Amino acid sequence: MKKNLLKDYDKKRDFKLTKEPSGKKKVSRKTKKLSFVVQEHHASHLHYDFRLEMEGVLKSWAIPKGPSLDPKDKRLAVQTEDHPLAYGKFHGTIPKGEYGGGEVFIWDKGIWTPKVDNYLEALKKGKLEFSLDGDKLHGGFILVRTHYKETSAKKNWLLIKRVDDDQKIVAKKTSAKKKALDFIAPELPRLVNEVPKGKDWIHEMKYDGYRMQAHLENGLVTFYTRNGHDWSQSFPYILDSLGKLEIEDAVLDGEVVALDKDGRSHFQRLQNSLKSRDDKNLRYYIFDLLFLNGEDWRERPLIERKKKLEEILKDAPKELLFSQHLLEKGGEFFKISCELHLEGVVSKMADSFYASGRQDDWVKTKCGHRQEFVIGGWTAPQGSRTGLGSLLLGVFEKRKFRYVGKVGSGFNVSTLETLIKDLIIIEQDQSPFDLKSPRGKDLHWVEPKLICEVSFSQWTDEKILRTPIFMGMREDKKPEVIHLEEEKNISSPDKILFKNENITKQDVAEYYQKVAPKMLPYVKGRPLSLVRCPNGGEEKCFFQKHVSGSVPKAFHTLQITEEKGEGTYITIDSPSGLKELVQLNAFEIHTWNCHEDYHSPDQIVMDFDPGPGVSWKKVVEGAFELKEILDDLDLKSFVKLTGGKGVHVHIPVAALYDWDQIKTFSQTIALEMVSRHPELYVANMSKKLRKNKIFIDYLRNDYGATAVAPYSLRARAHSSVALPIEWSELKKIKSPDEYTLPRALKKIQARKKDPWEGLMKLKQ
């Protein structure tokens, strides 16, 4: 069926389908140039179709996030059916309702050159290396088929940029380090507040110990902390056990723990073992394999690395344990872990490669709050207590040291005696805290060098610890890397969405959480349409009305009757819903003029859209002229900056009228304004008629039409906000898009009164 449709498209566009003549010899890659094309495809979900010419057809992969020129990025590429060569020239619209319906643009094109003669055999084996010479994509690339899940083994690939010639010196140095098995910066999980769902994740126990990296080479074993410090002398028993493994060389990643009688990892016991230099009762849980017998395993899927690791550890000494994992049911695993008073769960993408640094394909979910803090001082002991009263704790924010509270419980006599000796050595006269330094008597300051681990119930609004308990000292980290470890509820929180202002995805998510109480009353229960911008406001965005497949729990779906059947829309009613929209990069939100029943509109929106040559002053005057007309009709109205070029005037009405009645009324108002000042206004959307005039867009009141939601960000070069304001404020506004995210948020939080107060109760 799909192939027939593709042929139909080609016939419609007079494309000639090319077919390799029978019996023709294969053309050598040295004598024939092979083409490639990348098509930006706005179907039900935006993706990029990556197509390589092979043997008279285009081998094709769908890449949701698009190709990347960063070697660190590993882009999922789902193999699709072969396409005819002529399809590589297509750009235009595939009719809705047909396979792949939506807009198609040629994003890049050029020549591709395989690195081997028999590239078809390489493709069959699941590893194809090649170079691209296009307008945007150039240099070496590799397509690698993943091996997780039998049903998708032949479909899921990863497209990865290779290091090019201008980086060869760096590459050679890196290669030399690999051969010498030098320390590798570990992959670190992000903190989230919910275990990820789906079959693509595996779930492991979160251990309460020291992250350690083991290097085995010709019988010699070296043990590194997560910061690359050699701690080999601290674990002689574990190193001896590692040396007994029947492998030539390897790099293993895991965690050293001390287990209590119930089998739980116990950090204080680990501390005691290290102080007494006795590791015979410690265990090394190994959860990843980075190198084995001279081969780099980091670019193999995690599930494959763990399978091999389990084989290696099958008959290993008792000190070495394979870190088991669970497929699916991560939520149940987390619940049981918390009931058993364990640390929590680490979830990892089964198909993921090993990448140094904090990544989105490893996440951790904690049963309680717990993290490391830097010690900035101590208080004097009270009563019969010896040593110290409490520790003054801080974290680094950029280059500044901020106070976050003090901990005075969880110590024993031995710990207090040891601590005070270490603190006196680094005592200083001045407070090390740059932000929120504590005040009072009997405070002692120290250089911020020592790190401790603390458990606590929660944070106050001022980011001060509640009910903290001292758990032990940490010696495996550097003070400057200790930051406030907040839960990141979205993927890629550091992704820049507004380049001109350096506004990140996390900044956008936090904005929507802060304005949620103001915004949700105007969004709740209304069908939504979304503007999604995968690469930020300046890049290509697309408008999405319908959803398909599974949706987050925070979304509610509505079946709405349309001309061509029913369409599935979403609506939200919570801050979680706003968070999920940001997760989808849908930070511009549009609403219908009705609630969930979608039968009767409850508001009218008049849009003043200036054409070329119209000043902002004229737009403001036009909005006030409409207000006068509405006032004469005893209709109360409210005004909103659109964040674009114009303004919206909202008129709440009783849900008594059908869509045709509302549209007719709004059209009549628009035509009345045109009749009064034909030189200023136009009610026809034709662009030819709009020069030096304001288009009074009444069409936003038709069935299925939308308007940007109050407080929504706009998908533009700057983070402008669709901001509700008082009518009295409108004449003071210098530009319709002057309220960008930071300015709008500051204004919203400083307001003593909602400018749209009473709108929701009006039924005119």
Side-chain angles (χ1 to χ4, degrees), residues 408-421:
S409 61
F411 305 104
N412 56 36
V413 175
S414 174
T415 303
L416 289 170
E417 291 176 351
T418 303
L419 265 174
I420 195 63
K421 291 177 183 178

Side-chain angles (χ1 to χ4, degrees), residues 264-281:
R264 289 187 289 256
S265 54
H266 198 285
F267 188 71
Q268 192 63 57
R269 286 185 177 222
L270 176 60
Q271 288 276 295
N272 295 338
S273 296
L274 290 174
K275 287 179 181 178
S276 63
R277 299 184 180 277
D278 181 8
D279 75 321
K280 64 177 177 292
N281 292 318

Side-chain angles (χ1 to χ4, degrees), residues 523-529 558 560 569-572 590-598 706:
V523 176
K524 183 178 180 181
R526 294 184 185 274
L528 303 183
S529 294
L558 303 171
I560 295 183
Y569 286 75
I570 64 166
T571 183
I572 61 172
H590 293 245
T591 66
W592 282 41
N593 289 341
C594 65
H595 278 82
E596 293 173 81
D597 63 8
Y598 68 85
T706 62

Side-chain angles (χ1 to χ4, degrees), residues 352 447 710:
S352 64
E447 296 178 62

